[in-house]
Amino acid sequence: MEEAIRPNYRKLYTDMLDWKYPEKKEACAEVLKKRNLEALDVITLNTMIFGERKSNQKHKSYDKNSILEILAYQEKNPCSNKELSLLFKISRNTITKWKRIYV
């Protein structure tokens, strides 16, 4: 299977920080240093730059590594699907589906 073409999030966020939010560049530097930015890293950067916003879940997508990281978090910190869904702002049905597929 071909790997999907992904946007260059590092370039997007670096340019955004340079032009509009230079005061937040230092706070985001640690995340931007990572070799590969995954879905959770992009969400983290977005939160660091714009703060907490009510987000539209329709357009969020997660790669396999991010899904496994979320499920590992649940195993490491025992919490229900409901608690996990509130923490990561994902539906409970999505978490259940991920468990069926990846666990």
Side-chain angles (χ1 to χ4, degrees):
M1 180 184 274
E2 289 184 34
E3 190 169 324
I5 298 173
R6 296 178 49 170
N8 187 350
Y9 289 113
R10 180 174 287 105
K11 177 81 171 133
L12 286 170
Y13 280 103
T14 303
D15 288 348
M16 191 182 316
L17 289 168
D18 287 341
W19 294 337
K20 286 195 165 195
Y21 305 100
E23 69 278 0
K24 296 180 181 182
K25 191 172 186 177
E26 190 175 313
C28 300
E30 190 66 32
V31 179
L32 288 170
K33 284 182 188 176
K34 289 186 175 183
R35 188 168 186 222
N36 294 324
L37 292 179
E38 296 179 1
L40 292 178
D41 298 325
V42 172
I43 293 169
T44 303
L45 279 171
N46 214 32
T47 304
M48 292 170 94
I49 294 171
F50 301 112
E52 284 293 323
R53 292 184 174 182
K54 185 175 181 183
S55 62
N56 183 353
Q57 297 297 349
K58 277 186 180 179
H59 304 293
K60 275 192 181 176
S61 64
Y62 295 89
D63 56 353
K64 185 176 180 179
N65 291 338
S66 298
I67 292 169
L68 294 174
E69 190 175 326
I70 291 170
L71 294 176
Y73 178 88
Q74 186 178 25
E75 286 180 15
K76 187 176 175 183
N77 305 301
C79 57
S80 67
N81 285 356
K82 183 177 181 179
E83 294 168 335
L84 192 68
S85 70
L86 292 172
L87 181 66
F88 287 101
K89 297 180 179 94
I90 305 169
S91 83
R92 294 175 304 165
N93 293 331
T94 301
I95 294 170
T96 304
K97 182 179 177 181
W98 288 349
K99 283 183 171 183
R100 266 189 263 129
I101 295 171
Y102 296 110
V103 177

